[in-house]
Amino acid sequence: MNLLETTIRDKEELYTLAVKYFKNINPEEYENVKFDTIIPKSISVLTDHDFIPTPCIGIKLELHRHDKLYNRCNYFLYVDENIEFVDEFLIFE
């Protein structure tokens, strides 16, 4: 099965996996990673990237908090065709 078929077939499982990885972030590495709302935003198949091994699946979550420290944040999880961890990024806005 190719990455596109896997992505379409397992969409909800991929979002669940991203939430699971996000909730396991080391709190010493990232300050204040508790968010009130986690919104599944997008899933994409990466075929070419400067620093992420490709091909892979990119999963984006949008995170919101209601205090004013960080109103919004984006979490990106990248997994390979076997749904194994490749990389992750947490970007505060």
Side-chain angles (χ1 to χ4, degrees):
M1 182 170 301
N2 68 34
L3 280 177
L4 183 57
E5 291 171 338
T6 299
T7 303
I8 293 169
R9 184 194 71 219
D10 298 335
K11 179 178 113 173
E12 294 305 318
E13 289 85 4
L14 291 170
Y15 282 128
T16 300
L17 180 66
V19 170
K20 177 183 168 187
Y21 271 94
F22 170 73
K23 288 184 176 182
N24 285 323
I25 289 176
N26 182 350
E28 293 174 7
E29 186 174 345
Y30 298 107
E31 294 179 21
N32 303 309
V33 294
K34 293 193 177 215
F35 290 87
D36 301 313
T37 308
I38 299 174
I39 302 168
K41 286 307 269 187
S42 66
I43 298 176
S44 55
V45 175
L46 279 71
T47 58
D48 184 32
H49 198 281
D50 288 342
F51 56 90
I52 300 289
T54 57
C56 69
I57 300 169
I59 308 154
K60 177 182 177 183
L61 302 175
E62 189 174 277
L63 312 161
H64 295 264
R65 356 181 351 154
H66 298 292
D67 68 11
K68 297 297 180 189
L69 183 59
Y70 294 108
N71 285 339
R72 192 170 68 177
C73 176
N74 290 309
Y75 174 74
F76 298 88
L77 174 67
Y78 298 94
V79 296
D80 65 14
E81 62 269 7
N82 298 316
I83 315 300
E84 294 178 3
F85 179 86
V86 172
D87 211 341
E88 67 184 344
F89 298 97
L90 184 61
I91 301 173
F92 292 95
E93 295 182 8

